Amino acid sequence: EVQLVESGGASVQAGGSLRLSCVVSGLLHTINHVGWFRQAPGKGREGVASLYTGSGRTYVADSVKGRFAISRDNAENTVYLQLNTLKAEDSAMYYCAAGFLALNCYQGACFRPDEYTDWGQGTQVTVSP
């Protein structure tokens, strides 16, 4: 089992930036991807970014490409999600998750919530217009 703890959510104005953190611990050899997802009230969970822990290769969803970035600090077992040029529609609960997935984000697997087995509790991002 893998444990994930998110932090860094806040209320910001449109155009602002945030950096979310996800500390990963536990049986790290059982996973090969850490992903970030978001869920707004009344909507499904949307994958926004994923990182392959083997090489560090990253994947960012088209909906946020150019504004969001995922990175890691191996020494701190932490995966970050940098959110720039925030918009009101980015408001959501943001979750990080871990799983053992097919490589190269095959058929978009790295953005699908059901591919991940372990989840954090989430951190809230609210963007005011």
Side-chain angles (χ1 to χ4, degrees):
E1 185 179 355
V2 173
Q3 294 80 43
L4 304 104
V5 179
E6 305 96 332
S7 62
S11 296
V12 298
Q13 290 190 324
S17 297
L18 283 174
R19 189 177 77 162
L20 308 183
S21 300
C22 173
V23 178
V24 187
S25 62
L27 301 178
L28 301 184
H29 66 278
T30 64
I31 64 163
N32 66 357
H33 283 76
V34 176
W36 279 98
F37 294 79
R38 65 183 181 184
Q39 188 166 19
K43 295 188 176 182
R45 196 163 290 191
E46 175 192 12
V48 296
S50 185
L51 183 145
Y52 171 53
T53 59
S55 65
R57 183 174 179 178
T58 62
Y59 305 88
V60 180
D62 289 343
S63 60
V64 299
K65 194 166 289 183
R67 298 192 300 121
F68 290 11
I70 186 171
S71 62
R72 67 177 176 177
D73 181 333
N74 285 336
E76 299 294 330
N77 283 342
T78 301
V79 176
Y80 301 101
L81 184 68
Q82 180 70 40
L83 294 73
N84 296 325
T85 319
L86 282 161
K87 306 175 183 179
E89 52 264 41
D90 294 320
S91 296
M93 185 70 79
Y94 283 72
Y95 300 89
C96 64
F100 196 92
L101 281 66
L103 299 184
N104 300 314
C105 199
Y106 183 68
Q107 295 187 339
C110 61
F111 298 119
R112 290 201 294 268
D114 58 358
E115 295 288 335
Y116 292 77
T117 53
D118 300 282
W119 290 81
Q121 294 301 305
T123 186
Q124 178 69 41
V125 172
T126 303
V127 185
S128 55

